[in-house]
Amino acid sequence: MPAGPFPPPPDPHRPPPPYADGPYTDPRAGVPCAASPTHRTYPWLPPAPPPPRPHRAPRHAPLGHHSDLRRLRRAYRRQRRTATLTALGYFVLFLVLSAFAPSLMTGTTAGVPTGLLLAVGQVPVTWLAVALYEATARRRVDPLAELIRRQAVVDARREAAR
């Protein structure tokens, strides 16, 4: 085959890759072109993915990194500790007095043994612990949780609008 100004035509069973930068032979005319075709040479290929959208930084910190979550965890932790230490502290006091001050526990107060009064007093102290838990929840934890819940709704709406 004589060498000419153009390279030999490509194998007809193996078309060039789409958008090739080298010489391209138009399969309909059999004439080489200097540029790649403007259309896809493989019609069965899926369309090219759209270009990625430019990433915009959020105007505020995402919800998971917000200081309100730290405040909520701290308030909830304080709430648990207050209620637990109230109930368990009284019970431990009762056990320590039973072990190390038996004369105090066997003494009488208004005709009733002091140990029995302290044991029956465990029920109101437990109610007090529950009341403290609810009060601190209403005063400190619930408002923070509601604030975070509202922010999550706003963030979800912003993400849906994108």
Side-chain angles (χ1 to χ4, degrees), residues 70-86 132-133 136-137 139-141 144:
R70 285 192 297 272
R71 287 178 34 211
L72 178 65
R73 281 193 297 265
R74 194 177 313 126
Y76 183 59
R77 193 178 310 125
R78 184 180 305 138
Q79 174 192 18
R80 286 186 317 229
R81 286 180 184 163
T82 302
T84 303
L85 291 177
T86 301
L132 278 171
Y133 191 86
T136 56
R139 187 174 62 244
R140 294 197 176 142
V141 178
L144 284 174

Side-chain angles (χ1 to χ4, degrees), residues 27-103:
R28 291 170 290 189
V31 180
C33 301
S36 61
T38 57
H39 63 281
R40 286 190 167 273
T41 56
Y42 299 113
W44 57 87
L45 287 177
R53 292 182 1 194
H55 179 69
R56 292 186 320 175
R59 292 183 184 152
H60 60 348
L63 186 62
H65 302 288
H66 209 275
S67 64
D68 286 338
L69 280 178
R70 285 192 297 272
R71 287 178 34 211
L72 178 65
R73 281 193 297 265
R74 194 177 313 126
Y76 183 59
R77 193 178 310 125
R78 184 180 305 138
Q79 174 192 18
R80 286 186 317 229
R81 286 180 184 163
T82 302
T84 303
L85 291 177
T86 301
L88 287 180
Y90 185 84
F91 185 67
V92 168
L93 174 70
F94 176 74
L95 290 178
V96 167
L97 288 177
S98 296
F100 297 109
S103 60

Side-chain angles (χ1 to χ4, degrees), residues 122-148:
Q122 183 71 36
V123 173
V125 169
T126 304
W127 289 343
L128 176 68
V130 170
L132 278 171
Y133 191 86
E134 289 178 356
T136 56
R138 255 185 261 116
R139 187 174 62 244
R140 294 197 176 142
V141 178
D142 290 347
L144 284 174
E146 182 59 32
L147 175 71
I148 291 172

